[in-house]
Every structure is written in C-alpha cells, then in structure tokens.
Short mmCIF file of all heavy atoms in Angstrom, two decimals:
data_model
loop_
_atom_site.label_atom_id
_atom_site.label_comp_id
_atom_site.label_asym_id
_atom_site.label_seq_id
_atom_site.Cartn_x
_atom_site.Cartn_y
_atom_site.Cartn_z
N LEU A 1221 -20.13 11.96 -9.47
CA LEU A 1221 -20.07 10.62 -8.92
C LEU A 1221 -20.15 9.61 -10.04
O LEU A 1221 -21.00 9.72 -10.92
CB LEU A 1221 -21.21 10.38 -7.93
CG LEU A 1221 -21.34 11.34 -6.75
CD1 LEU A 1221 -22.61 11.04 -5.97
CD2 LEU A 1221 -20.12 11.22 -5.85
N VAL A 1222 -19.29 8.61 -9.99
CA VAL A 1222 -19.27 7.55 -10.99
C VAL A 1222 -19.24 6.21 -10.29
O VAL A 1222 -18.29 5.92 -9.56
CB VAL A 1222 -18.09 7.68 -11.95
CG1 VAL A 1222 -18.12 6.54 -12.97
CG2 VAL A 1222 -18.11 9.02 -12.66
N GLU A 1223 -20.27 5.39 -10.51
CA GLU A 1223 -20.32 4.06 -9.91
C GLU A 1223 -19.68 3.04 -10.85
O GLU A 1223 -19.68 3.20 -12.07
CB GLU A 1223 -21.77 3.63 -9.64
CG GLU A 1223 -22.55 4.56 -8.72
CD GLU A 1223 -23.45 5.51 -9.48
OE1 GLU A 1223 -23.13 5.81 -10.66
OE2 GLU A 1223 -24.47 5.93 -8.92
N SER A 1224 -19.19 1.97 -10.26
CA SER A 1224 -18.64 0.87 -11.02
C SER A 1224 -18.74 -0.41 -10.19
O SER A 1224 -18.99 -0.36 -8.99
CB SER A 1224 -17.18 1.13 -11.43
OG SER A 1224 -16.35 1.24 -10.29
N GLY A 1225 -18.55 -1.54 -10.84
CA GLY A 1225 -18.51 -2.80 -10.13
C GLY A 1225 -19.75 -3.66 -10.27
O GLY A 1225 -19.76 -4.79 -9.79
N GLY A 1226 -20.79 -3.14 -10.88
CA GLY A 1226 -22.01 -3.92 -11.05
C GLY A 1226 -21.81 -5.05 -12.04
O GLY A 1226 -20.83 -5.09 -12.79
N GLY A 1227 -22.74 -5.98 -12.03
CA GLY A 1227 -22.67 -7.10 -12.94
C GLY A 1227 -23.61 -8.21 -12.53
O GLY A 1227 -24.53 -8.02 -11.74
N LEU A 1228 -23.37 -9.38 -13.09
CA LEU A 1228 -24.18 -10.56 -12.84
C LEU A 1228 -23.46 -11.47 -11.86
O LEU A 1228 -22.27 -11.77 -12.05
CB LEU A 1228 -24.46 -11.30 -14.15
CG LEU A 1228 -25.23 -12.62 -14.06
CD1 LEU A 1228 -26.64 -12.37 -13.54
CD2 LEU A 1228 -25.26 -13.29 -15.42
N VAL A 1229 -24.17 -11.92 -10.85
CA VAL A 1229 -23.59 -12.80 -9.84
C VAL A 1229 -24.63 -13.83 -9.44
O VAL A 1229 -25.83 -13.58 -9.47
CB VAL A 1229 -23.10 -11.99 -8.62
CG1 VAL A 1229 -24.27 -11.31 -7.92
CG2 VAL A 1229 -22.32 -12.86 -7.66
N GLN A 1230 -24.17 -15.02 -9.08
CA GLN A 1230 -25.07 -16.07 -8.62
C GLN A 1230 -25.51 -15.83 -7.18
O GLN A 1230 -24.81 -15.19 -6.39
CB GLN A 1230 -24.41 -17.43 -8.72
CG GLN A 1230 -24.10 -17.88 -10.15
CD GLN A 1230 -23.50 -19.26 -10.20
OE1 GLN A 1230 -23.18 -19.87 -9.18
NE2 GLN A 1230 -23.33 -19.79 -11.41
N ALA A 1231 -26.69 -16.33 -6.84
CA ALA A 1231 -27.18 -16.23 -5.47
C ALA A 1231 -26.17 -16.83 -4.51
O ALA A 1231 -25.59 -17.88 -4.77
CB ALA A 1231 -28.52 -16.93 -5.34
N GLY A 1232 -25.96 -16.13 -3.40
CA GLY A 1232 -24.98 -16.55 -2.41
C GLY A 1232 -23.60 -15.98 -2.64
O GLY A 1232 -22.74 -16.09 -1.76
N GLY A 1233 -23.41 -15.35 -3.77
CA GLY A 1233 -22.12 -14.77 -4.10
C GLY A 1233 -21.94 -13.38 -3.55
O GLY A 1233 -22.80 -12.85 -2.82
N SER A 1234 -20.82 -12.79 -3.91
CA SER A 1234 -20.45 -11.46 -3.42
C SER A 1234 -20.09 -10.54 -4.56
O SER A 1234 -19.67 -10.98 -5.63
CB SER A 1234 -19.26 -11.56 -2.45
OG SER A 1234 -19.57 -12.35 -1.33
N LEU A 1235 -20.25 -9.27 -4.31
CA LEU A 1235 -19.92 -8.25 -5.29
C LEU A 1235 -19.60 -6.97 -4.55
O LEU A 1235 -20.22 -6.67 -3.52
CB LEU A 1235 -21.10 -8.03 -6.24
CG LEU A 1235 -20.86 -7.39 -7.61
CD1 LEU A 1235 -19.94 -8.26 -8.46
CD2 LEU A 1235 -22.18 -7.16 -8.33
N THR A 1236 -18.64 -6.21 -5.04
CA THR A 1236 -18.28 -4.94 -4.44
C THR A 1236 -18.47 -3.82 -5.44
O THR A 1236 -17.92 -3.85 -6.54
CB THR A 1236 -16.82 -4.95 -3.95
OG1 THR A 1236 -16.65 -5.96 -2.95
CG2 THR A 1236 -16.47 -3.60 -3.32
N LEU A 1237 -19.25 -2.83 -5.06
CA LEU A 1237 -19.48 -1.65 -5.86
C LEU A 1237 -18.57 -0.53 -5.38
O LEU A 1237 -18.28 -0.42 -4.18
CB LEU A 1237 -20.94 -1.19 -5.77
CG LEU A 1237 -22.02 -2.23 -6.06
CD1 LEU A 1237 -23.39 -1.59 -5.95
CD2 LEU A 1237 -21.81 -2.84 -7.44
N SER A 1238 -18.15 0.31 -6.31
CA SER A 1238 -17.32 1.46 -5.97
C SER A 1238 -17.94 2.72 -6.53
O SER A 1238 -18.56 2.72 -7.59
CB SER A 1238 -15.90 1.29 -6.51
OG SER A 1238 -15.24 0.21 -5.88
N CYS A 1239 -17.75 3.81 -5.81
CA CYS A 1239 -18.21 5.12 -6.24
C CYS A 1239 -17.05 6.09 -6.12
O CYS A 1239 -16.50 6.27 -5.02
CB CYS A 1239 -19.40 5.59 -5.41
SG CYS A 1239 -19.94 7.27 -5.74
N ALA A 1240 -16.67 6.70 -7.22
CA ALA A 1240 -15.58 7.66 -7.24
C ALA A 1240 -16.13 9.07 -7.31
O ALA A 1240 -16.95 9.38 -8.19
CB ALA A 1240 -14.65 7.40 -8.42
N ALA A 1241 -15.73 9.91 -6.39
CA ALA A 1241 -16.18 11.29 -6.33
C ALA A 1241 -15.10 12.23 -6.84
O ALA A 1241 -13.90 12.02 -6.59
CB ALA A 1241 -16.57 11.67 -4.92
N SER A 1242 -15.51 13.24 -7.55
CA SER A 1242 -14.58 14.26 -8.03
C SER A 1242 -15.26 15.61 -8.00
O SER A 1242 -16.48 15.71 -7.83
CB SER A 1242 -14.09 13.92 -9.44
OG SER A 1242 -15.17 13.90 -10.36
N GLY A 1243 -14.48 16.66 -8.15
CA GLY A 1243 -15.01 18.01 -8.09
C GLY A 1243 -14.74 18.64 -6.74
O GLY A 1243 -13.64 18.55 -6.20
N SER A 1244 -15.77 19.26 -6.17
CA SER A 1244 -15.65 19.95 -4.90
C SER A 1244 -15.81 18.97 -3.75
O SER A 1244 -16.83 18.96 -3.06
CB SER A 1244 -16.66 21.09 -4.81
OG SER A 1244 -16.49 22.02 -5.86
N ILE A 1245 -14.79 18.15 -3.54
CA ILE A 1245 -14.86 17.09 -2.54
C ILE A 1245 -15.09 17.64 -1.13
O ILE A 1245 -15.74 16.99 -0.32
CB ILE A 1245 -13.58 16.23 -2.58
CG1 ILE A 1245 -13.36 15.68 -3.99
CG2 ILE A 1245 -13.68 15.10 -1.56
CD1 ILE A 1245 -14.48 14.82 -4.50
N SER A 1246 -14.58 18.81 -0.85
CA SER A 1246 -14.66 19.36 0.50
C SER A 1246 -16.08 19.64 0.97
O SER A 1246 -16.32 19.76 2.16
CB SER A 1246 -13.82 20.64 0.59
OG SER A 1246 -14.32 21.64 -0.29
N ILE A 1247 -17.02 19.76 0.05
CA ILE A 1247 -18.40 20.05 0.45
C ILE A 1247 -19.20 18.80 0.77
O ILE A 1247 -20.34 18.90 1.25
CB ILE A 1247 -19.15 20.86 -0.63
CG1 ILE A 1247 -19.43 20.00 -1.88
CG2 ILE A 1247 -18.34 22.09 -1.02
CD1 ILE A 1247 -20.29 20.71 -2.92
N ILE A 1248 -18.65 17.62 0.53
CA ILE A 1248 -19.36 16.37 0.81
C ILE A 1248 -19.40 16.09 2.29
O ILE A 1248 -18.37 16.15 2.97
CB ILE A 1248 -18.71 15.19 0.06
CG1 ILE A 1248 -18.79 15.39 -1.44
CG2 ILE A 1248 -19.41 13.88 0.46
CD1 ILE A 1248 -18.07 14.32 -2.24
N ARG A 1249 -20.59 15.78 2.79
CA ARG A 1249 -20.75 15.43 4.21
C ARG A 1249 -20.95 13.92 4.36
O ARG A 1249 -20.07 13.22 4.83
CB ARG A 1249 -21.94 16.19 4.81
CG ARG A 1249 -22.13 15.93 6.30
CD ARG A 1249 -23.27 16.76 6.84
NE ARG A 1249 -23.52 16.50 8.25
CZ ARG A 1249 -22.90 17.12 9.24
NH1 ARG A 1249 -22.00 18.05 9.00
NH2 ARG A 1249 -23.19 16.81 10.50
N ASP A 1250 -22.10 13.43 3.94
CA ASP A 1250 -22.41 12.01 4.01
C ASP A 1250 -22.43 11.40 2.61
O ASP A 1250 -22.76 12.08 1.63
CB ASP A 1250 -23.76 11.77 4.67
CG ASP A 1250 -23.84 12.30 6.08
OD1 ASP A 1250 -22.79 12.48 6.70
OD2 ASP A 1250 -24.97 12.52 6.56
N MET A 1251 -22.11 10.12 2.54
CA MET A 1251 -22.24 9.39 1.29
C MET A 1251 -23.11 8.18 1.53
O MET A 1251 -23.05 7.56 2.59
CB MET A 1251 -20.88 9.00 0.73
CG MET A 1251 -20.01 10.19 0.38
SD MET A 1251 -18.62 9.81 -0.71
CE MET A 1251 -19.50 9.53 -2.26
N ARG A 1252 -23.94 7.86 0.53
CA ARG A 1252 -24.96 6.83 0.68
C ARG A 1252 -25.05 5.99 -0.58
O ARG A 1252 -24.67 6.41 -1.66
CB ARG A 1252 -26.34 7.45 0.96
CG ARG A 1252 -26.37 8.44 2.11
CD ARG A 1252 -27.51 9.42 1.93
NE ARG A 1252 -27.63 10.36 3.01
CZ ARG A 1252 -28.07 11.60 2.88
NH1 ARG A 1252 -28.48 12.04 1.69
NH2 ARG A 1252 -28.14 12.41 3.93
N TRP A 1253 -25.59 4.81 -0.39
CA TRP A 1253 -25.99 3.96 -1.50
C TRP A 1253 -27.49 3.76 -1.46
O TRP A 1253 -28.05 3.50 -0.39
CB TRP A 1253 -25.29 2.60 -1.47
CG TRP A 1253 -23.85 2.62 -1.91
CD1 TRP A 1253 -22.76 2.71 -1.12
CD2 TRP A 1253 -23.38 2.54 -3.25
NE1 TRP A 1253 -21.62 2.70 -1.88
CE2 TRP A 1253 -21.98 2.59 -3.20
CE3 TRP A 1253 -24.02 2.43 -4.49
CZ2 TRP A 1253 -21.18 2.53 -4.34
CZ3 TRP A 1253 -23.23 2.37 -5.63
CH2 TRP A 1253 -21.83 2.42 -5.54
N TYR A 1254 -28.12 3.88 -2.60
CA TYR A 1254 -29.53 3.57 -2.78
C TYR A 1254 -29.66 2.52 -3.89
O TYR A 1254 -28.72 2.28 -4.64
CB TYR A 1254 -30.32 4.82 -3.19
CG TYR A 1254 -30.52 5.83 -2.08
CD1 TYR A 1254 -29.48 6.67 -1.69
CD2 TYR A 1254 -31.75 5.96 -1.46
CE1 TYR A 1254 -29.67 7.61 -0.68
CE2 TYR A 1254 -31.95 6.89 -0.44
CZ TYR A 1254 -30.90 7.71 -0.06
OH TYR A 1254 -31.10 8.63 0.93
N ARG A 1255 -30.83 1.91 -3.96
CA ARG A 1255 -31.08 0.99 -5.05
C ARG A 1255 -32.54 1.08 -5.49
O ARG A 1255 -33.41 1.49 -4.73
CB ARG A 1255 -30.75 -0.46 -4.66
CG ARG A 1255 -31.65 -1.06 -3.60
CD ARG A 1255 -31.13 -2.43 -3.19
NE ARG A 1255 -31.99 -3.07 -2.21
CZ ARG A 1255 -31.72 -4.21 -1.59
NH1 ARG A 1255 -30.57 -4.87 -1.88
NH2 ARG A 1255 -32.56 -4.73 -0.71
N GLN A 1256 -32.78 0.71 -6.73
CA GLN A 1256 -34.12 0.74 -7.28
C GLN A 1256 -34.33 -0.49 -8.14
O GLN A 1256 -33.66 -0.67 -9.16
CB GLN A 1256 -34.36 2.01 -8.09
CG GLN A 1256 -35.79 2.18 -8.56
CD GLN A 1256 -36.06 3.57 -9.08
OE1 GLN A 1256 -35.14 4.31 -9.44
NE2 GLN A 1256 -37.32 3.96 -9.13
N ALA A 1257 -35.24 -1.34 -7.72
CA ALA A 1257 -35.61 -2.54 -8.47
C ALA A 1257 -36.74 -2.21 -9.43
O ALA A 1257 -37.49 -1.24 -9.23
CB ALA A 1257 -36.02 -3.66 -7.53
N PRO A 1258 -36.89 -2.99 -10.51
CA PRO A 1258 -37.96 -2.72 -11.47
C PRO A 1258 -39.33 -2.67 -10.81
O PRO A 1258 -39.70 -3.56 -10.04
CB PRO A 1258 -37.87 -3.91 -12.43
CG PRO A 1258 -36.43 -4.33 -12.36
CD PRO A 1258 -36.05 -4.12 -10.92
N GLY A 1259 -40.06 -1.60 -11.07
CA GLY A 1259 -41.39 -1.43 -10.52
C GLY A 1259 -41.44 -0.93 -9.09
O GLY A 1259 -42.54 -0.72 -8.56
N ASN A 1260 -40.30 -0.72 -8.47
CA ASN A 1260 -40.24 -0.27 -7.09
C ASN A 1260 -39.69 1.14 -6.98
O ASN A 1260 -39.07 1.66 -7.91
CB ASN A 1260 -39.39 -1.21 -6.25
CG ASN A 1260 -39.99 -2.59 -6.10
OD1 ASN A 1260 -41.19 -2.78 -6.30
ND2 ASN A 1260 -39.15 -3.56 -5.76
N GLN A 1261 -39.92 1.74 -5.83
CA GLN A 1261 -39.34 3.05 -5.54
C GLN A 1261 -37.86 2.89 -5.17
O GLN A 1261 -37.43 1.83 -4.73
CB GLN A 1261 -40.09 3.73 -4.41
CG GLN A 1261 -41.55 4.03 -4.69
CD GLN A 1261 -42.21 4.78 -3.55
OE1 GLN A 1261 -41.61 5.69 -2.96
NE2 GLN A 1261 -43.43 4.42 -3.23
#
C-alpha cells in the first residue's frame, strides 16, 4: 500500500488522499483509513 496526497492546507479547505494497492489484490476484503496525531493513539 502506498499513500499519497498529503500536504499543508488552510482550515476550511479540502484535500484528497489516495492509496494505491498492489500485489495479491484478490485477498483484500475491506480497506480503511486511520490517522495518528502527535501524542495520540
């Protein structure tokens, strides 16, 4: 999995992240996004 699209944006703005999957694609069931802020789980 390779993510892309991150960056700096002003409050109120928009941003689109992309995740490209490769390899054994047929075994993938669900796909999810998670995030982790500094000091948080």
Side-chain angles (χ1 to χ4, degrees):
L1221 303 174
V1222 180
E1223 302 99 333
S1224 63
L1228 176 64
V1229 64
Q1230 294 183 354
S1234 299
L1235 201 63
T1236 299
L1237 307 181
S1238 294
C1239 174
S1242 61
S1244 301
I1245 304 301
S1246 62
I1247 70 174
I1248 298 175
R1249 183 177 178 87
D1250 300 338
M1251 298 197 72
R1252 307 155 178 149
W1253 284 96
Y1254 288 76
R1255 68 186 182 186
Q1256 187 168 19
N1260 294 339
Q1261 298 183 40

